[in-house]
Amino acid sequence: MKWLVLLGLVAFSECIVKIPLRRLKTMRNVVSGKNMLNNFLKEHAYSLSQISFRGSNLTTHPLRNIKDLVYMGNITIGTPPQEFQVVFDTASSDLWVPSDFCTSPACSTHVRFRHLQSSTFRLTNKTFRITYGSGRMKGVVVHDTVRIGNLVSTDQPFGLSIEEYGFEGRIYDGVLGLNYPNISFSGAIPIFDKLKNQRAISEPVFAFYLSKDEREGSVVMFGGVDHRYYEGELNWVPLIQAGDWSVHMDRISIERKIIACSDGCKALVDTGTSDIVGPRRLVNNIHRLIGAIPRGSEHYVPCSEVNTLPSIVFTINGINYPVPGRAYILKDDRGRCYTTFQENRVSSSTETWYLGDVFLRLYFSVFDRGNDRIGLARAV
């Protein structure tokens, strides 16, 4: 997320254990050639067209759009249920909320889980730490009943924060990770995997529709796809490796001139990031090309010029996904227009981009765990 995980440690009885990230064989390794790969995906695709919003197979859960910056939804934890606002995040795998024994100032400004009031609560002695780009937390792994709408996961392991730093200004209480289990820093099975394993959802897929211009109507859906939320066909993109929602991106261009990702690069499709994040040098070049002027931590353009700014085109698996100026420019509280391109604060040996909410407002996204792929289509 635009937090960008720097380090994750899991501690058991204060003994530090590293969580290994395994490189797995991908579908692209097994099936070579673009046409062969596309044919393979078509032959092995789920019959998503047969799953509709009317059926019992699809759970559609509303999300609140907060100023086009954050999309969050309600979940409940415990018996009787206690309600929390969380970000549904495809870049992380852990679910955590503040605990009532957290004394950090950030916890005091958010809803805290009162474990003594839940009859289904179960404590463990396993602790963990996560450091994000803009904060850090320490938590303890516990178990309880978690509900996402009508989806119920009993004895679900999750984290309760006992220390939080850098989250004081966040409007949401916690995070619900939807990435693969191998990158869980708490070591707990993610809620999507547990729901999948207990057959609470008919197909191992989930999807996002993010509304524009601060409007209502944003949703995350589990177990299928509501086709009213996008136009045309879904374009399927295989993951670079099974275990992370990252895909290969061909290039980034403006007016047919390549400006970044010239030799291909990695793109993480990230619902927990509000911006489009990339390497500092390349982000600075984009700002130079569109005439953005730095001021503080942001880059600004005259609001009168937004509609004349060039589209920035992200080419993924041979398909162009243009992002126009009116999409990558937002207004701050003073009515000034700033860009949503941000530099990645974490150095990487390979060129990596995070396609956050700016991109996903334009393109409906489907995350297919069964086939290790992402589907993209123009959002309505």
Side-chain angles (χ1 to χ4, degrees), residues 47 117 155 162 223 248 313-314 358 364 375:
S47 299
Q117 296 181 10
D155 200 38
I162 54 180
H248 176 80
V313 180
F314 299 81
V358 173
F364 179 83

Side-chain angles (χ1 to χ4, degrees), residues 205-251:
V205 299
F206 58 90
F208 281 86
Y209 171 80
L210 303 184
S211 63
K212 308 174 185 67
D213 303 321
E214 304 182 31
R215 293 195 296 262
E216 297 180 357
S218 301
V219 296
V220 56
M221 54 195 76
F222 296 93
V225 173
D226 185 340
H227 303 276
R228 299 177 304 167
Y229 285 98
Y230 66 90
E231 301 172 348
E233 298 294 323
L234 285 165
N235 298 309
W236 293 106
V237 187
L239 301 183
I240 293 175
Q241 64 181 34
D244 186 28
W245 293 119
S246 297
V247 298
H248 176 80
M249 184 157 60
D250 304 332
R251 59 189 173 274

Side-chain angles (χ1 to χ4, degrees), residues 123-143:
L123 180 67
T124 76
N125 61 353
K126 188 174 185 180
T127 61
F128 67 101
R129 300 174 187 268
I130 305 176
T131 299
Y132 300 101
S134 58
R136 67 186 190 275
M137 62 84 69
K138 177 182 179 180
V140 59
V141 177
V142 300
H143 294 247

Side-chain angles (χ1 to χ4, degrees), residues 106-126:
C107 292
S108 65
T109 61
H110 296 102
V111 178
R112 290 182 279 188
F113 182 67
R114 293 173 172 80
H115 64 284
L116 294 177
Q117 296 181 10
S118 175
S119 62
T120 46
F121 175 80
R122 183 162 64 89
L123 180 67
T124 76
N125 61 353
K126 188 174 185 180

Side-chain angles (χ1 to χ4, degrees), residues 92-114:
S92 66
S93 300
D94 294 291
L95 165 62
W96 64 268
V97 296
S99 69
D100 61 356
F101 39 81
C102 175
T103 58
S104 301
C107 292
S108 65
T109 61
H110 296 102
V111 178
R112 290 182 279 188
F113 182 67
R114 293 173 172 80

Side-chain angles (χ1 to χ4, degrees), residues 196-211:
K196 175 170 63 73
N197 294 346
Q198 67 189 32
R199 300 182 184 278
I201 50 179
S202 57
E203 302 288 358
V205 299
F206 58 90
F208 281 86
Y209 171 80
L210 303 184
S211 63

